[in-house]
Amino acid sequence: MYKSVFLRNRPFASRLYHSSGQLKSLAKGNVKTKSVLEVARALQPGTKLHGYTVEKVEDVPELFLTTVSLNHDRTGAKHLHVAREDNNNVFSVAFRTTPMDSTGVPHILEHTVLCGSKKFPVRDPFFKMLNRSLATFMNALTASDWTMYPFSTQNRQDYNNLLSIYLDAVFYPQLRELDFSQEGWRLEHENLQDDNSPINFKGVVYNEMKGVFSNQQNIFAEAVQNKLLPNHTYGVVSGGDPEYIPDLTWEHLKNFHKTHYHPSNARFFTYGNFPLEDHLQYINENYLSQFSKIEADTAVPAEPRWTSPKEASVTCQPDTMAPDPDKQTTVAVNFLLSDITDIEEGTTLNIISNLLTDGETSPFYQALLEANIGSDYSPVIGYNGYTKESSFSVGLQGIHKDDVDKVKQIISETIDKVIEEGFEQSRIDALLHRIELGTKHQTSNFGLGLVMSVASMWNHDGDASEMLRVNNQMELFKKKLQNDPKYLQKKVKEYFKDNSHRLTLVMSPEEEFEEKRRAKEQEKLQNCIQNLSAQDKTKIFQLGQELQETQNRTEDLTCLPCIKLSEIDKEIKLEPTEQTEFDGIPVQYSAQPTNEVTYIKMVSFLDQVPMEMKVYVPLFTNVITKMGAGIYDFKELSHQAELYTGGLSAGTLVSQDPTDPLDFDQGVVFSSYCLERNFDKTLDLWTEIFDRSNLRDSNRLQTLIKMSAADLAASLSNAGHNYAMMHSASSLTPASQLSEMFDGVSQVSVMKRIAELEDNSKIMEHLIELGHEILNKNNLKLCINATPDFMPTALEKVEQFIETLHSDRKPEHHFVKRHTTHVTKFVATSQKTQIELPFSVNYMSKSIKTVPYTHVDFASLRILSRLLSWKFLHREIREKGGAYGGGANCTNGVMSFFSYRDPNSMETLEVFDRSIQWAANGDFTDTDVEEAKITVFQQTDKPVPPGQIGSTLFLNNISDGMRQEARNQLFSVTKENVIEAAQRYLLPDNRPSSLSFLGPENADVAGNKEWKVIKG
């Protein structure tokens, strides 16, 4: 998977410092916890362990962990171990990969090494292990200058299994030519049986990157990096530019592996409560002991600094979903900053960047976004610490081409103003609060976030363990600020005002962009074909047939390890909750080890909202916490939220009833979390929003409308498969229909139309009318998660909060109201729809109406979806078809098939149908069914952090009893059950089904009366 240039800055607190969800034993001084940390603390620098030497041991008490830094004596491989009482253990191995061309060699190599190895000589052991593992995460990632292979799991045997797969893959891959041609690129006949049929480009990465560059934001982000750091590896596209991918040869790929995938160029990371010594012993004895140290020539030199600023421009395809076709220009000013291995300087620059751009009170937000000359910040915004030298970007998208100079002037004037006036202390305090809260907020895969956050800095030989010492960094920062009140202003002047290494990049739409791209592709193809000898053509024809034969061949997979069903717990992990009610409002609560953080969720039901008003609900959720309320204007409300909470969020909810396909819950979910000491203040802010929201600020509303419309339009190419599935399912169930209205392509179109309006007064009135219903406490239910000690206080404060809220209920009517929506007149229909968009690839989907969660056949359908995905669709859509991905997804009431970044369209729909027939014929084994069960348990058994315990019940009405019954059914499903489910629900004409896809103009659809074409 290509991990592209990071498009958005992340708040400093959320960048790294979120605790995991396994802190209960820590808080109580559990012996096992002490043992995990004490074993690590007992190690001393210089200690020898299985071929390694301990270099440093560091305690990081704020994150409840101890780090051990080691060096492998024989090869120089680096190893960072993070000891922590967390069952969700993580492993990764990363290599510094520094290509000097845009053929995508590190990206294609990342794919190809996973296609078979010395110890596991089968095709795609990586994907096959997805069916044989309980991993909570498995993937491989290519960044601009590193390639990483991470996984996480809670099961010790599973950890050992995956460790062997990953290490053998990276150090002893087979790197077969067939795998290179499948994953990277190849020339192949349209008809593999006819050597006179046309020849085309194919390949998984080739089509993946065509999809990547179908997105304007990706084009802009890549151009920023390439042009700001042009002199070495950052000047090329590490993921691969489709124009140059066909220049990569198999020999070059193998040579790149030899020079880059060596232990001397490797960084190993282990995390969790499994013993360090076991990891080291296995890695050393089975792999590293077989290598000797080399001098890996992969270091990235510092970029030569410019003596004067530069300007550049790029073009992109027009955005047909843009509200104003004349406002499609993007401009950003980009500054090259400091070396990321300088942690102190990096911390300061990260903080400055967040102060400059993050939140409604930041200088650039006020100067750029409130000016309403653009739709949103530029795609690359804020601090980027993912290259050897960090950078900062700021600008606008969705502007008129004539406003470029105006944006540049605003940026320059804003920098001058900050240098002159500095930052308010309260804003600095708010950021420090977010960092403190971030160290306590618990997530489900902390270890994975940890390695991702330190990867870039460590990749360039920075001190990874030091980067984790959050409190130390904050204390140093505070001292510098205390010693020099103008410290931040001086840094702004140094890095922004006086920095001549500054790039202004402008991106403009070009009507012929896609036409030119296709012409270039055809020219490249014809040049390749013209240079083929007769022998080359014969080889291409034979290679295509050989690849197809290999893809169709049934393999002996006995060499691959596999978790057994008998090793999986029969019982669910209970999520204990209790129920009460205050003033007729139901309240669910769960006492959990939340590390002194309190979590609150509120659902306001929409069953009384008129249907014609519901189309505006998503916009309501986007603006309600950002418009100001009561005594706070929108800037001050944002500031108060930063000072006291982890954010005030609102979003839509559509939850299919687990028992009745015609029942569902619809609502708006409000949520936030905070330190216990700030719970009063958090509830005060929600009180202001519910009782005194201000929705009459027309200028502010227009800013938010533009931002929402821009974000939705930009999401189409990255999440096209989700949009396609939502659309195809929308004609099958009432819940799916509403989901598409709230979150689908139709909502993108609605927001486009709203953003086009010159006068938003009618929209404002609609939102105010919605507020009367949504912000009425009669429609609420609440959920609280807090520590056992704080829970009584939390409930007392919640009761007071509810009492203060507006209500239109008469005083004597204190009863708990049922809000579930029941639809009696809905008729599922079959439809065929294309959403035509200027993409280079397609996103295909087929949806079929099935059964709800508690139905006896639901377990069989869930297993069937996994069987279809990994035993049929993966092979046909990805390996043969060249799409980046494809599969089947079973949800509550609907089965959806999908493809992602797919060069094919109608052919993929045929694949969906053939997969159904394959399943109905029972062309799979009992072992396949067992493996499919494992993949379902892989999803259901992922760790749930304390703050989210009970959410499945609260949001989806699925109780522990229902979950346990569903688990029992999963264990008992047989091959015959799966076949029966396929025959009963998926075969043609048995159930309503619909087809939808997003993609470019399609000759097979145009003029076909069975299809409806919606022009994007």
Side-chain angles (χ1 to χ4, degrees), residues 30 40 91 120 235 303 326 346 357 409 577 638 842 872 909 984:
N30 181 283
F91 168 84
F120 307 105
E303 184 72 22
D326 293 328
T357 62
Q409 181 181 352
T577 62
S638 169
N842 297 292
F872 193 95
L909 296 181
R984 180 177 299 121

Side-chain angles (χ1 to χ4, degrees), residues 139-203:
N139 214 327
L141 310 166
T142 300
S144 297
D145 55 12
W146 53 254
T147 305
M148 181 190 293
Y149 298 83
F151 71 78
S152 60
T153 181
Q154 302 172 90
N155 183 288
R156 181 70 177 274
Q157 184 58 54
D158 195 31
Y159 189 99
N160 293 337
N161 293 347
L162 293 173
L163 185 62
S164 65
I165 294 287
Y166 270 59
L167 292 177
D168 213 62
V170 297
F171 291 120
Y172 295 114
Q174 292 184 312
L175 297 183
R176 293 168 293 207
E177 185 177 14
L178 281 178
D179 296 324
F180 164 67
S181 65
Q182 172 185 286
E183 296 299 315
W185 76 277
R186 65 188 182 274
L187 292 172
E188 186 173 276
H189 290 275
E190 284 185 7
N191 183 348
L192 292 177
Q193 309 308 317
D194 181 3
D195 60 2
N196 291 317
S197 64
I199 295 175
N200 291 313
F201 285 130
K202 277 197 173 182

Side-chain angles (χ1 to χ4, degrees), residues 339-599:
D339 193 305
I340 60 173
T341 62
D342 186 339
I343 297 174
E344 287 186 32
E345 196 76 349
T347 298
T348 296
L349 289 170
N350 201 337
I351 289 174
I352 288 173
S353 298
N354 276 274
L355 290 171
L356 285 171
T357 62
D358 195 41
E360 284 82 345
T361 56
S362 65
F364 279 122
Y365 190 102
Q366 296 182 52
L368 288 173
L369 293 178
E370 290 181 27
N372 274 331
I373 58 176
S375 60
D376 201 351
Y377 274 137
S378 53
V380 183
I381 182 71
Y383 183 81
N384 175 11
Y386 302 100
T387 51
K388 187 176 188 295
E389 293 166 282
S390 60
S391 60
F392 173 86
S393 302
V394 64
L396 281 177
Q397 60 180 304
I399 68 171
H400 194 280
K401 62 182 180 180
D402 294 339
D403 287 332
V404 168
D405 287 337
K406 184 176 182 180
V407 173
K408 290 160 59 178
Q409 181 181 352
I410 291 173
I411 291 171
S412 178
E413 291 173 351
T414 303
I415 290 171
D416 288 340
K417 183 178 180 182
V418 170
I419 294 170
E420 176 67 25
E421 299 178 2
F423 300 103
E424 293 181 9
Q425 183 59 46
S426 62
R427 292 203 62 237
I428 299 173
D429 293 340
L431 183 55
L432 296 177
H433 161 260
R434 286 162 57 195
I435 294 170
E436 178 189 3
L437 180 57
T439 64
K440 292 177 176 290
H441 172 54
Q442 300 174 52
T443 58
S444 61
N445 207 331
F446 171 70
L448 182 65
L450 205 67
V451 67
M452 293 300 298
S453 296
V454 303
S456 293
M457 191 269 297
W458 192 26
N459 186 53
H460 296 289
D461 302 320
D463 189 337
S465 61
E466 182 62 31
M467 188 175 180
L468 304 183
R469 300 178 65 198
V470 188
N471 288 355
N472 184 55
Q473 295 173 41
M474 292 306 102
E475 288 306 313
L476 288 172
F477 172 76
K478 290 175 184 177
K479 285 181 181 178
K480 288 181 178 180
L481 204 56
Q482 187 176 7
N483 292 336
D484 183 0
K486 291 186 177 292
Y487 171 66
L488 295 181
Q489 290 155 272
K490 291 176 180 177
K491 288 296 178 183
V492 171
K493 185 175 186 297
E494 175 185 353
Y495 284 102
F496 303 114
K497 180 71 173 178
D498 299 337
N499 186 353
S500 58
H501 199 113
R502 181 168 72 247
L503 170 74
T504 300
L505 182 68
V506 177
M507 181 173 71
S508 304
E510 181 182 19
E511 287 296 333
E512 300 82 19
F513 182 88
E514 184 60 20
E515 184 180 329
K516 287 181 178 180
R517 186 205 63 76
R518 289 176 184 168
K520 275 187 178 181
E521 182 179 20
Q522 281 303 309
E523 182 182 1
K524 185 86 171 182
L525 177 62
Q526 293 308 314
N527 286 339
C528 288
I529 294 173
Q530 287 171 9
N531 292 327
L532 294 174
S533 65
Q535 185 178 0
D536 292 333
K537 292 179 180 178
T538 299
K539 183 179 178 181
I540 287 171
F541 183 66
Q542 292 174 344
L543 187 69
Q545 291 187 320
E546 184 183 355
L547 181 57
Q548 185 183 52
E549 181 184 335
T550 302
Q551 291 165 339
N552 288 332
R553 186 183 304 143
T554 300
E555 293 186 287
D556 180 2
L557 304 181
T558 54
C559 66
L560 293 177
C562 185
I563 288 293
K564 298 177 181 177
L565 280 175
S566 59
E567 299 176 55
I568 299 175
D569 289 338
K570 299 289 186 184
E571 306 296 320
I572 64 166
K573 292 181 180 178
L574 296 174
E575 297 189 13
T577 62
E578 296 184 70
Q579 309 290 330
T580 187
E581 59 93 9
F582 298 127
D583 195 23
I585 307 302
V587 177
Q588 174 184 301
Y589 60 99
S590 182
Q592 296 292 328
T594 58
N595 203 22
E596 299 177 347
V597 177
T598 300
Y599 298 81

Side-chain angles (χ1 to χ4, degrees), residues 713-731:
S715 70
L716 285 170
S717 63
N718 285 333
H721 62 308
N722 289 329
Y723 282 108
M725 284 191 286
M726 273 191 284
H727 194 276
S728 62
S730 64
S731 66

Side-chain angles (χ1 to χ4, degrees), residues 182-229:
Q182 172 185 286
E183 296 299 315
W185 76 277
R186 65 188 182 274
L187 292 172
E188 186 173 276
H189 290 275
E190 284 185 7
N191 183 348
L192 292 177
Q193 309 308 317
D194 181 3
D195 60 2
N196 291 317
S197 64
I199 295 175
N200 291 313
F201 285 130
K202 277 197 173 182
V204 173
V205 170
Y206 182 79
N207 286 308
E208 177 188 353
M209 297 311 295
K210 283 177 68 175
V212 166
F213 290 118
S214 289
N215 183 296
Q216 290 183 351
Q217 296 192 342
N218 291 336
I219 293 173
F220 189 82
E222 190 69 51
V224 167
Q225 178 172 293
N226 297 160
K227 296 178 184 298
L228 186 66
L229 296 133

